Amino acid sequence: MKIVVVDDEPLARQRLLRLLQRLRPEAQCFEADNGLEALALVRAEQPQIVLLDIRMPEMDGVEVAGHLLDEPAAPAVIFCTAYDEYALAALQHHAIAYLLKPVREKELEGALKAAVRVNRAQLDSLGVAGAGREEVVSAGHRGIETLPVADVRCFLAEDKYVRACAPSGDILLSESLKELELEFEARFLRVHRNALVARAHIARLMRSDDGWVVELDDVSPRPQVSRRHLSEIKAALTG
């Protein structure tokens, strides 16, 4: 995920960047201090989300949001401002959220989740629901890593992250398992509250000491199957 923070006040930018580091530590974050710089950055980096101040020199945030609507891959916009009189303009420009400074962590978290849901809805409107991206991306201490979705055998929820497992290796993702399930519902099957498995790479369903598990092609993890999902995976295998 790429996120652009736009604010002409350095302290406000740094506060938002610190919050994003806690809430989305794997995201790539960029910053701009005016509207013109923000537009150039969005066109160069193609972020999914823009956190946008309103009162800025050269071009204010409302005008920036208007230009963003014309972009081929328009990012979700979250306004972060000290003024409440622009809420109507924010709605007219299809903003996901309108947060008043100082932005609170809980409110920002809710806005980020809403932005992800909107991106999924945009996929639905294009007729590609369940298909999703061709690659998943991780941005961590090892740098930017990508993994073709076709190679992923399973997504496993672990603490604050989701591990994408493939024969070539694993990467950590910042998306939730639920978000991945919604995006890749045609390719992956929920087998447990902590696991999605690739339909095309299910080798067999087998019993273990702890119940049922799924064996997948060419990887060692064997995700556990919960009782509520057992009939679904049996149907997928017989299908």
Side-chain angles (χ1 to χ4, degrees), residues 1-237:
M1 179 181 290
K2 293 183 179 181
I3 302 174
V4 172
V5 176
V6 188
D7 200 307
D8 63 325
E9 299 177 6
L11 291 178
R13 287 201 311 275
Q14 292 307 311
R15 174 180 168 78
L16 287 173
L17 289 169
R18 287 195 299 271
L19 290 176
L20 290 170
Q21 178 60 33
R22 290 204 294 268
L23 295 172
R24 296 293 185 273
E26 297 302 311
Q28 275 186 280
C29 294
F30 305 87
E31 54 183 304
D33 62 10
N34 63 72
L36 292 176
E37 183 181 344
L39 286 178
L41 194 54
V42 167
R43 288 162 183 163
E45 299 296 340
Q46 297 289 297
Q48 288 78 32
I49 300 172
V50 175
L51 304 185
L52 187 58
D53 188 22
I54 291 184
R55 290 193 180 179
M56 296 183 294
E58 299 188 54
M59 181 185 293
D60 68 27
V62 173
E63 189 177 353
V64 172
H67 286 292
L68 293 179
L69 287 175
D70 297 328
E71 292 296 311
V77 173
I78 299 171
F79 280 115
C80 302
T81 177
Y83 306 95
D84 59 7
E85 63 262 35
Y86 298 98
L88 178 58
L91 289 173
Q92 292 171 338
H93 289 81
H94 306 290
I96 299 303
Y98 190 90
L99 308 181
L100 291 176
K101 297 178 180 177
V103 174
R104 297 179 180 178
E105 184 171 328
K106 185 176 181 180
E107 293 174 345
L108 181 58
E109 170 69 357
L112 293 172
K113 288 181 177 179
V116 170
R117 287 196 295 271
V118 167
N119 285 342
R120 299 293 179 266
Q122 290 170 342
L123 288 174
D124 292 347
S125 69
L126 294 172
V128 292
R133 296 160 286 170
E134 292 304 315
E135 291 184 326
V136 287
V137 181
S138 172
H141 66 279
R142 295 185 297 190
I144 305 300
E145 299 176 281
T146 63
L147 191 61
V149 174
D151 291 349
V152 177
R153 289 349 189 214
C154 60
F155 293 112
L156 305 175
E158 300 178 355
D159 297 324
K160 295 181 180 180
Y161 306 100
V162 169
R163 183 179 299 276
C165 303
S168 59
D170 302 349
I171 64 173
L172 296 179
L173 309 177
S174 59
E175 294 101 322
S176 71
L177 206 63
K178 183 62 177 178
E179 291 165 354
L180 293 167
E181 182 182 20
L182 290 173
E183 181 174 359
F184 300 119
E185 61 183 349
R187 303 189 195 187
F188 288 82
L189 179 67
R190 171 80 71 164
V191 297
H192 192 273
R193 62 185 177 85
N194 294 328
L196 302 174
V197 300
R199 297 173 185 268
H201 294 290
I202 299 174
R204 60 175 175 155
L205 179 66
M206 56 188 294
R207 281 191 176 276
S208 72
D209 294 338
D210 298 322
W212 292 93
V213 295
V214 182
E215 186 174 304
L216 301 163
D217 296 332
D218 307 316
V219 292
S220 57
R222 292 179 174 178
Q224 191 170 2
V225 180
S226 64
R227 288 184 179 180
R228 61 177 295 194
H229 295 294
L230 186 58
S231 61
E232 296 175 50
I233 193 165
K234 285 182 177 179
L237 285 169

